[in-house]
Amino acid sequence: MDPSKLAQSKRKYFMTSSYDSLGIKRVINANATLTKLGGSLMPEEVIQAMVEASKTFVDIHQLQQTVGQRLAELTRNEAAYVSCGAATGLLLATAACIEKKSKNAYERFPQWGKISNEVIVQKMHRNSYDYAILEAGASIVEIGNQHQTLPDELENAIRNQTIAVFWFQGAMNQPSELSLDQVIEICRPKNIPVIVDAAAQLPPASNFWNFTHQGADLAIFSGGKDLSGPQASGLILGSKELIEIISGLGAPHHGIGRPMKVGKEEMMGLLAAVERYLSLDHEQLFETYEARVTYWINELDGLKGLRAIRDYPNEAGQPVARTKVVLPESHNKDTVIQDLLQGEPMISVAPSETENALLLNPMTVKDGEPSIIKERILEVMG
Ligand SMILES: *Cc1c(COP(=O)(O)O)cnc(C)c1O
């Protein structure tokens, strides 16, 4: 056998790098851009940019800086940085605020002893991602209660050891919170950075600049949600001063950011994703989403005791409608969700927080899948 053919046949034998060869089943995602389902799917432009980037060596410092400049221009910000996810963005932003206050703080980390670095968060904004703030070595000071926060509570919480106020945007927002405008107004004169976690706040694309133009020091986005960049990428936008500190703390530098390294492929993939996102016809996408929502309503409402309605604004705080399928009392939402997930094909849908209902998300499904989902729901209802 000629040697190249032999190499090829041997390789085939050893290759198990496909989902099929490993017995991994595909999941139809009508839930959300969840990390546990693989986040989002990369469009061709992003894949191509990653493939190209993977073929040559480059100077990573130069690449990170140049990609950052280009991302800053595209997103109308002073500066930009590619992290390996929005959660890492929270960690690095916290670290930068600590360094801004005490230069070279991380040379002594984690032997800080009594040194205290406090991040203020409204109690109603607390969520499972804010652990990343603690990982940077800061502590969280809560203000307000589950139902409201008052301006005085922020004023009084700001002390010498306060390094930042974090603002979370999403399902946690309530009209009775201290608004971002109020937070900025109080923090600005005291030179306390305001950091916005906007991980899932795309669309609209204008959010790339809305929070920072409003006066936030940094806004942090996930690259692996609707932006459809590499799954392990995130975007930090805003203050040049803070982003320069972040670059110094992040890989390839050794220190607090080194374990969270970002490859050349992620940098170029995320850049391609942002360029694509800004040029998408979002109006037309909204129409596609609305058509899917309407399809599910028309096909499910009134059958097998189901009531299907348009869910807007959606519970996740995003400006896209979903279909809410209210189940009859005979069927429990958690059981139906499990049946769909364990069926053939595997289908993931979200539970409603407040009702015995399923939520179907039109953003993450592919063409052809809405009818499969409808069929399976009717089957599971028996
Ligand atoms: C998804 C999400 C994150 C984490 O984003 P990753 O890119 O997966 O790290 C952080 N904060 C909020 C509010 C999120 O919704």
Side-chain angles (χ1 to χ4, degrees):
M1 202 190 266
D2 99 46
S4 74
K5 282 233 176 76
L6 182 64
Q8 223 173 23
S9 70
K10 273 197 179 152
R11 198 180 305 138
K12 231 177 228 157
Y13 179 75
F14 285 111
M15 288 275 272
T16 56
S17 57
S18 74
Y19 291 151
D20 287 343
S21 65
L22 291 169
I24 304 293
K25 290 196 183 139
R26 284 150 176 75
V27 178
I28 291 181
N29 182 1
N31 191 332
T33 51
L34 299 177
T35 296
K36 67 178 178 182
L37 293 175
S40 56
L41 305 179
M42 292 188 295
E44 205 49 44
E45 300 94 306
V46 176
I47 296 168
Q48 273 316 314
M50 293 184 82
V51 168
E52 276 311 306
S54 73
K55 290 179 182 169
T56 49
F57 294 104
V58 290
D59 176 341
I60 282 287
H61 289 289
Q62 189 197 12
L63 183 65
Q64 176 79 265
Q65 176 140 26
T66 310
V67 166
Q69 274 163 5
R70 178 82 186 115
L71 283 168
E73 284 162 23
L74 286 166
T75 62
R76 310 182 196 177
N77 280 283
E78 243 176 63
Y81 184 84
V82 181
S83 67
C84 68
T88 289
L90 300 183
L91 193 161
L92 290 176
T94 307
C97 294
I98 290 175
E99 279 274 329
K100 177 179 150 90
K101 186 145 193 304
S102 341
K103 215 164 169 6
N104 301 328
Y106 282 94
E107 284 175 11
R108 302 183 307 280
F109 183 76
Q111 287 87 30
W112 281 348
K114 290 202 166 56
I115 300 175
S116 164
N117 294 292
E118 295 178 351
V119 168
I120 299 173
V121 180
Q122 298 186 50
K123 189 175 179 67
M124 69 175 83
H125 284 190
R126 292 300 309 273
N127 65 89
S128 32
Y129 295 106
D130 64 30
Y131 190 80
I133 294 170
L134 306 178
E135 283 184 280
S139 54
I140 293 179
V141 173
E142 287 181 359
I143 54 169
N145 59 38
Q146 214 50 265
H147 308 290
Q148 75 168 353
T149 316
L150 302 172
D152 273 358
E153 292 173 308
L154 176 56
E155 295 269 10
N156 296 337
I158 295 177
R159 319 193 276 170
N160 190 32
Q161 52 266 55
T162 306
I163 55 129
V165 177
F166 269 67
W167 168 277
F168 291 87
Q169 186 77 27
M172 55 288 279
N173 298 115
Q174 295 175 34
S176 55
E177 70 196 355
L178 201 57
S179 73
L180 182 56
D181 273 335
Q182 286 171 298
V183 171
I184 291 166
E185 198 183 304
I186 293 170
C187 292
R188 259 284 150 92
K190 299 179 163 46
N191 201 19
I192 304 287
V194 176
I195 316 291
V196 176
D197 176 352
Q201 301 310 309
L202 298 169
S206 58
N207 275 350
F208 281 134
W209 51 86
N210 285 342
F211 300 107
T212 43
H213 289 195
Q214 194 181 338
D217 293 80
L218 295 175
I220 299 166
F221 298 88
S222 181
K225 293 183 177 171
D226 197 51
L227 189 48
S228 302
Q231 182 43 204
S233 70
L235 186 55
I236 308 175
L237 301 172
S239 150
K240 195 165 181 277
E241 182 194 359
L242 286 174
I243 284 176
E244 272 171 10
I245 302 176
I246 288 173
S247 308
L249 294 170
H253 297 287
H254 291 279
I256 184 81
R258 178 61 183 81
M260 293 153 271
K261 87 171 177 189
V262 184
K264 56 194 181 304
E265 297 82 4
E266 280 77 29
M267 293 181 204
M268 293 306 288
L270 186 64
L271 177 57
V274 170
E275 282 179 339
R276 170 183 171 273
Y277 205 78
L278 286 166
S279 68
L280 279 179
D281 184 346
H282 288 277
E283 295 269 315
Q284 198 210 317
L285 273 171
F286 279 121
E287 280 171 28
T288 308
Y289 301 151
E290 285 295 337
R292 288 173 184 157
V293 166
T294 307
Y295 170 82
W296 281 320
I297 293 174
N298 290 342
E299 297 287 320
L300 292 169
D301 189 48
L303 293 180
K304 313 234 171 172
L306 299 172
R307 198 160 58 83
I309 51 174
R310 185 168 177 272
D311 173 45
Y312 185 85
N314 77 34
E315 286 178 9
Q318 287 156 338
V320 176
R322 295 189 289 187
T323 304
K324 182 182 285 185
V325 184
V326 185
L327 306 175
E329 268 175 34
S330 53
H331 289 70
N332 174 276
K333 63 183 170 188
D334 297 320
T335 317
V336 171
I337 288 171
Q338 273 314 308
D339 287 350
L340 288 170
L341 193 58
Q342 281 154 18
E344 182 64 49
M346 295 170 78
I347 296 173
S348 176
V349 304
S352 160
E353 295 261 330
T354 51
E355 287 177 76
N356 186 34
L358 316 175
L359 295 172
L360 309 183
N361 187 339
M363 296 176 79
T364 42
V365 295
K366 297 192 251 181
D367 283 342
E369 290 177 343
S371 64
I372 301 173
I373 295 163
K374 167 210 72 162
E375 291 295 331
R376 278 295 297 151
I377 291 175
L378 292 175
E379 265 174 45
V380 165
M381 292 304 296

